[in-house]
Amino acid sequence: MNESMFGAKDIIVLCSACLCMIFALHSLSNRKMHSSSGWYITIFMVVGAINLCTAVIYPWEETHQGKWIYILNGYNVMIWVEGICLYESVRRVLFHPVTALRSHLLYHLITPAILFFLFILAQFNFMEELTPQTLTNISLVFTQCVRFTYGLVCLKYLQKYRQLSLEHFSSTVIPGFSWLQFLVFGFVVTRLGWLVTPVAYTYLYISEQSPEIWLTLRTPINMLFDAIWLACLGGLVYFSLRHLSQFLQLQPPKQEITVKSITYTEEQVSRLINLMEQQKVFLEPNITIDAFASRASLPTKTASKIINEHFSKNFNDFVNGYRIQHASKLLSSPEGNELSVLEICEASGFNSKSVFNKYFKLVKGMTPREFRVSQ
């Protein structure tokens, strides 16, 4: 049975492609996006739009007939380039690396290129033994696995940034981080979903099972993940239009704080305690480990070692512990009764009520409102 030229699935895919181009054009029109990471995100969106359009207009039933085999290989290359662009944009947004652009790109371009060239040679050698549909799906499995792997690496970068942030920043609310997390998670989920189709078909063929059952499920499954990606792109475009200033504005934490060979004294410990108890630096919402160490006239590595070993905490937990103590005193004091929970949250150095409620319940075992009632 021939499928209609443009069904609901195709409309969803084309809408996603349009959103990709809207974001790309919007980023090109703003100078704040004219950085290496901004250019990579723009290229990522353009390549994504091309891939989506190709998936709709490519005559899959004519694969490996005449010129279409070359177009298919070009499509596979674009799938692989999409993963590289996302990887580079995430890496540069989070860590602002100083790695030489050419040497780093060569590493990520040449290695997959060699593998892909070898794969194409094998593809031609087995063309007569395998069906066109099987060859198509094997090639898609290869390139989509590469793209999905880059997505997983991006997730690892996000996790690494979050962990380093706990050591360097007192606030867990990081402007500009949410949109990037949203993009990467959406990318990984949808690319995994799109990878299911060629993997399932290839498995059924190799195991000599009939693919008819899977073919009936292919369209609704793909449509589900197409809709998820459409929703992700819609949210990303909306965020970019409303909060462009937060794009690419992440403060990169230092990659590592090596503290094994550093020693400290009780006098240095007292300096940190004095900063907290007497000068109350924890009331500053955006205090960082670098600024905190500078106030104590200590190297950042020494201050970090004291917090990690003497207090058995990371910098984020160390600062927020004092904030919770301060908030508890306000909630149980007569003057604090005149303040709302939000006002106490802000007066204690938190810049997010949700984070305040989370830490308060973690430390006290109850919410701020419940704590106030119990006093």
Side-chain angles (χ1 to χ4, degrees):
M1 180 181 295
N2 295 327
E3 297 181 359
S4 60
M5 186 62 183
F6 286 101
K9 178 183 180 302
D10 300 320
I11 294 174
I12 293 174
V13 172
L14 291 176
C15 286
S16 298
C18 289
L19 288 176
C20 286
M21 292 307 300
I22 289 173
F23 181 89
L25 293 173
H26 179 57
S27 63
L28 287 175
S29 65
N30 290 274
R31 293 184 178 181
K32 291 183 178 180
M33 298 291 282
H34 291 182
S35 60
S36 61
S37 53
W39 282 112
Y40 274 112
I41 292 176
T42 301
I43 296 172
F44 166 76
M45 287 295 175
V46 172
V47 171
I50 294 173
N51 288 342
L52 291 169
C53 291
T54 304
V56 171
I57 65 176
Y58 184 81
W60 298 102
E61 69 281 358
E62 298 179 27
T63 298
H64 292 92
Q65 295 181 17
K67 63 181 180 180
W68 295 116
I69 185 173
Y70 302 105
I71 296 178
L72 175 64
N73 288 329
Y75 174 63
N76 284 326
V77 169
M78 296 297 281
I79 290 176
W80 151 46
V81 170
E82 185 182 20
I84 293 177
C85 289
L86 179 67
Y87 164 80
E88 280 296 329
S89 60
V90 169
R91 189 177 74 96
R92 293 176 182 278
V93 168
L94 294 180
F95 299 110
H96 301 191
V98 294
T99 306
L101 178 63
R102 290 183 179 178
S103 62
H104 192 78
L105 272 181
L106 285 175
Y107 173 79
H108 288 281
L109 288 172
I110 292 179
T111 303
I114 293 174
L115 293 175
F116 189 66
F117 176 73
L118 295 175
F119 174 78
I120 292 177
L121 291 180
Q123 193 178 37
F124 278 99
N125 290 333
F126 289 100
M127 188 177 294
E128 295 181 357
E129 301 178 16
L130 300 175
T131 65
Q133 185 65 36
T134 302
L135 284 170
T136 299
N137 283 285
I138 291 176
S139 64
L140 289 174
V141 167
F142 175 81
T143 53
Q144 292 196 30
C145 279
V146 172
R147 179 174 65 178
F148 179 68
T149 301
Y150 276 112
L152 294 179
V153 174
C154 291
L155 283 180
K156 184 178 179 181
Y157 274 142
L158 291 175
Q159 182 183 19
K160 181 179 180 180
Y161 183 88
R162 174 65 73 179
Q163 291 173 346
L164 290 173
S165 297
L166 294 177
E167 296 289 345
H168 289 79
F169 309 133
S170 63
S171 174
T172 56
V173 179
I174 308 172
F177 184 77
S178 298
W179 75 266
L180 192 61
Q181 194 174 36
F182 184 72
L183 171 63
V184 173
F185 274 113
F187 179 88
V188 170
V189 170
T190 53
R191 272 51 182 185
L192 176 61
W194 293 341
L195 182 58
V196 168
T197 297
V199 168
Y201 187 93
T202 303
Y203 170 77
L204 292 173
Y205 179 85
I206 293 175
S207 60
E208 298 182 351
Q209 299 181 40
S210 174
E212 294 301 324
I213 297 178
W214 171 251
L215 291 176
T216 60
L217 299 174
R218 178 183 61 185
T219 299
I221 290 176
N222 284 344
M223 187 182 298
L224 170 64
F225 289 101
D226 291 340
I228 293 174
W229 186 234
L230 176 63
C232 289
L233 290 172
L236 188 65
V237 170
Y238 174 80
F239 185 89
S240 69
L241 294 174
R242 293 289 300 273
H243 307 285
L244 181 66
S245 61
Q246 293 187 18
F247 269 74
L248 313 182
Q249 300 300 310
L250 288 174
Q251 180 180 356
K254 295 178 180 178
Q255 293 291 315
E256 296 290 344
I257 295 183
T258 306
V259 296
K260 292 182 180 179
S261 60
I262 298 175
T263 59
Y264 58 89
T265 65
E266 288 299 321
E267 186 273 333
Q268 291 173 328
V269 175
S270 299
R271 289 191 218 173
L272 301 189
I273 296 175
N274 177 69
L275 278 174
M276 287 298 186
E277 297 182 354
Q278 302 301 322
Q279 300 184 37
K280 300 184 184 301
V281 296
F282 60 85
L283 297 180
E284 301 176 21
N286 298 314
I287 186 72
T288 65
I289 184 64
D290 294 325
F292 181 68
S294 178
R295 298 273 190 92
S297 299
L298 292 173
T300 300
K301 294 181 180 180
T302 302
S304 180
K305 185 178 180 72
I306 294 172
I307 294 171
N308 293 340
E309 292 191 0
H310 186 83
F311 296 101
S312 301
K313 297 179 179 179
N314 58 48
F315 179 67
N316 184 269
D317 290 337
F318 177 67
V319 174
N320 285 333
Y322 279 95
R323 289 172 175 170
I324 295 300
Q325 291 180 19
H326 184 77
S328 301
K329 292 178 181 178
L330 289 177
L331 287 168
S332 58
S333 65
E335 58 271 20
N337 289 331
E338 300 178 0
L339 300 174
S340 66
V341 172
L342 179 59
E343 290 173 326
I344 290 176
C345 162
E346 294 173 346
S348 301
F350 288 96
N351 54 11
S352 168
K353 186 177 179 181
S354 61
V355 174
F356 171 58
N357 288 331
K358 172 188 172 183
Y359 270 97
F360 197 96
K361 189 170 184 179
L362 184 65
V363 175
K364 299 295 183 180
M366 61 183 75
T367 65
R369 294 184 185 279
E370 293 170 344
F371 181 83
R372 169 177 273 175
V373 172
S374 67
Q375 299 302 304

